[in-house]
Amino acid sequence: MSFETEIINIMEKDRNGSTADFNHINKLIKEFDLSYRNICVRTLAVPKVLSEKQYDEIGGFITKLYSIFDKVIEKYFSDADYRKLFGFAPKLEELILSSHRRNGYIPMARIDFFLDEEKGAITMCEINTDGTSAMNEDRLLGEFLEHNSAFQTFAKDKPYRRFELFDSWAVEFLTVYQAFLDEKDKASVQQEKNLPRVAIVDFLDVGYVTEFEQFMKTFIRHGMETEICDIRDLIYNGKVLTTKSGMVIDAIYRRAVTSDIMKHYDEVTPFLNAVRDGAVCLIGDFVTQIVHNKRLFFILYHQATKDILSAEEYCFIEKHFPATFSLTSENISLNNVNENREQWIIKPCDSYGAKGFYAGKNCSLEDWQKALNDHLKEDYVLQKFNQPYKTPNIDYSLAEPIVRDYSNLTGIFCYNGKPYGAYSRMADGDIISTQYDEKTIATVIV
C-alpha cells in the first residue's frame, strides 16, 4: 500500500474531520498571504511522502547533473563558437562573461522534473536559477501539517522530517561571500565575523515580497544587516553600491530574473556597473543564465556538448532530458508536430510563471497551428511531452470530494549544488502549471 493510500484510508474514516482540517488549512493559507502575483496557493489534502531511499537517489541525480552543468559552463567561457549556440544578445553575453566562479557557478536553483515513483525514473522539466522561489510555500505548508489529523495519525509510527530552506541558505550564502572575499583578497566590513550587508533585489512590482521578508528575517538573525530593494533604486558612486536608505551593500541576493533585467537594462545601470567593477558580491551571478535558459535542453544533445562529456554523462542526458528542438519551420516539418500535437509542447526559452506555454494535447488543431506560427520567429523551444506520474489525492473543497489520481511534478531546491528540500505540485490534468489547475502540497521524507 502506498503512503498516499494509507493516509487517504485514515481520512475517509472521518470525512467530516478531514474536511474541517482541510478547510482550516486553506484558511491559514489565506491568512498567511501564501500567494504570488495575487494568485493564492491551492492545495490538496494529502502531502507528498517520499522515502529516504527515494530522496537519496534524487541526490545522486543532482550530483551528476551539476557535474554536467560545470562542463557546459566551462565550454561556454572557453569556446566562442559554442557560445553562439545559446544565441544570447551581446549585452547579456558580456554580463555572463564578466561573471565569477567563486564557490560555484550556480549557488541557488530549483530543478523541476517528473519522477516515476515506481520505477525511480526522472525526466527533466526545467531548471530555475534566476528568481528561484517557493521556499516560503514549502515552509508554511509543512507547518500546516500539524493541523492535518489524518497525517499525524499516519506519522505516529513513521518518523518523518520536513525541509529547512532559510537558515540553510543563509549559511550557504555566507560560504559564497567568503569565497568572494578570498578571491578579491578583501577585508570584510565586519572584520571579526566576515558578515556582509545584504540587499535582496528584484523588481518589487513583480517580486515575491512576502518570501523576501522571510529571507530578510533569517539573514538578520544570522547577523547580516539586510534590506529588500527594488533593483532600479540602487545607487553607485563608482566605489560603493548603496540602497536608497544609505546602507552600503557588500552582497546581493539576486531574485530579479535575467530576462526582466535585460528588459529594463537602462534602468539598472548602477547595479550593473557595481557588479562589473566587482564592488559588490553578486550571488546569483549572470553565469546562471546558461542553465536557466531552456535552449540548454537541445544544446545538451549537440555534438559540441557530446564532445566534452563522458559516454556515461551523455547516456545520462539521453535518459533524463526530453527531445528538444529550437522552434523553427524546419523542425516543425521534421517532427510532424501538427499531426501528433498531443506529443509536443512549446515554451519560451527564457520566461517564468508558465507564461507562453502551449501543450498540443490541450489545443485544437487550429489553435496549435496558430501558436506555432506566432512564435516561429521568437525564442521558443519545441519539446516532447512527458506523461506525468500520477498518485491518488483528494480535494475536500469540492461539492463531491472523491479520491482521484493527480499528475505530479517534483522540484529540488539546491544550494551550492546540494539538495536541501523538495517542492511538490500536482494537477487534475496532465499539464502542471499555474495557468491551468496547479496545486501545491507539503513534502515530507519518511
Side-chain angles (χ1 to χ4, degrees), residues 80-365:
D81 288 334
Y82 194 64
R83 290 197 288 273
K84 291 177 183 177
L85 297 176
F86 290 82
F88 295 140
K91 287 181 179 179
L92 176 54
E93 182 175 298
E94 177 263 324
L95 290 172
I96 294 171
L97 292 176
S98 67
S99 300
H100 299 277
R101 182 181 178 110
R102 296 181 187 132
N103 191 56
Y105 285 130
I106 310 166
M108 176 182 281
R110 195 187 73 225
I111 311 296
D112 289 349
F113 52 82
F114 300 101
L115 172 66
D116 184 322
E117 295 173 30
E118 290 180 43
K119 299 176 182 177
I122 292 174
T123 303
M124 284 294 304
C125 176
E126 64 180 20
I127 301 151
N128 303 277
T129 57
D130 306 348
T132 295
S133 66
M135 300 81 152
N136 203 40
E137 292 175 22
D138 180 82
R139 179 182 72 89
L140 288 172
L141 289 172
E143 289 179 2
F144 297 161
L145 283 176
E146 68 183 53
H147 304 288
N148 186 328
S149 55
F151 173 75
Q152 294 302 326
T153 299
F154 161 84
K156 281 182 180 177
D157 62 349
K158 294 181 181 65
Y160 73 94
R161 64 183 176 92
R162 296 192 290 110
F163 302 108
E164 194 293 304
L165 295 167
F166 287 86
D167 289 304
S168 52
W169 172 236
V171 171
E172 294 290 354
F173 186 94
L174 285 170
T175 300
V176 180
Y177 180 67
Q178 184 58 56
F180 168 79
L181 294 182
D182 294 343
E183 177 187 305
K184 296 293 183 181
D185 195 26
K186 292 175 65 173
S188 173
V189 173
Q190 299 183 42
Q191 294 284 343
E192 299 84 7
K193 297 182 179 179
N194 278 352
L195 295 175
R197 292 162 292 193
V198 179
I200 301 172
V201 306
D202 201 347
F203 296 89
L204 295 187
D205 51 337
V206 297
Y208 203 162
V209 177
T210 54
E211 184 163 273
F212 300 166
E213 290 168 348
Q214 188 64 32
F215 276 111
M216 180 175 70
K217 292 175 186 176
T218 305
F219 281 19
I220 290 172
R221 191 168 63 249
H222 282 257
M224 293 176 270
E225 185 180 354
T226 305
E227 291 185 18
I228 298 167
C229 306
D230 192 293
I231 193 171
R232 292 164 289 200
D233 292 338
L234 303 181
I235 302 162
Y236 185 54
N237 66 4
K239 293 184 179 179
V240 295
L241 186 67
T242 60
T243 66
K244 283 175 68 174
S245 71
M247 183 188 81
V248 173
I249 303 168
D250 300 306
I252 288 177
Y253 170 23
R254 177 168 76 97
R255 289 290 295 259
V257 301
T258 299
S259 59
D260 284 347
I261 289 174
M262 301 313 293
K263 192 183 303 179
H264 298 276
Y265 188 88
D266 293 335
E267 300 173 56
V268 296
T269 301
F271 160 78
L272 293 175
N273 286 342
V275 169
R276 288 189 185 98
D277 293 347
V280 64
C281 175
L282 179 61
I283 301 180
D285 216 329
F286 289 101
V287 68
T288 62
Q289 184 67 5
I290 295 171
V291 300
H292 177 86
N293 191 281
K294 295 173 183 66
R295 280 178 169 266
L296 176 75
F297 279 64
F298 64 79
I299 292 171
L300 287 173
Y301 280 98
H302 195 279
Q303 184 62 45
T305 304
K306 188 174 184 179
D307 289 344
I308 61 172
L309 301 180
S310 68
E312 180 184 0
E313 287 170 330
Y314 195 73
C315 285
F316 179 92
I317 298 300
E318 293 181 312
K319 181 178 180 181
H320 297 294
F321 282 78
T324 306
F325 306 89
S326 180
L327 183 60
T328 65
S329 298
E330 180 183 44
N331 284 331
I332 288 176
S333 175
L334 177 67
N335 293 287
N336 296 318
V337 296
N338 286 324
E339 294 86 347
N340 303 290
R341 66 184 185 281
E342 71 282 354
Q343 298 177 17
W344 297 94
I345 60 173
I346 65 169
K347 52 188 176 182
C349 289
D350 192 12
S351 185
Y352 56 93
K355 291 185 292 188
F357 174 95
Y358 299 89
K361 68 182 306 175
N362 284 3
C363 296
S364 67
L365 179 58

Side-chain angles (χ1 to χ4, degrees), residues 419-434:
Y420 272 95
Y423 178 55
S424 298
R425 285 163 287 172
M426 306 185 83
D428 302 26
D430 293 330
I431 310 302
I432 309 164
S433 77
T434 52

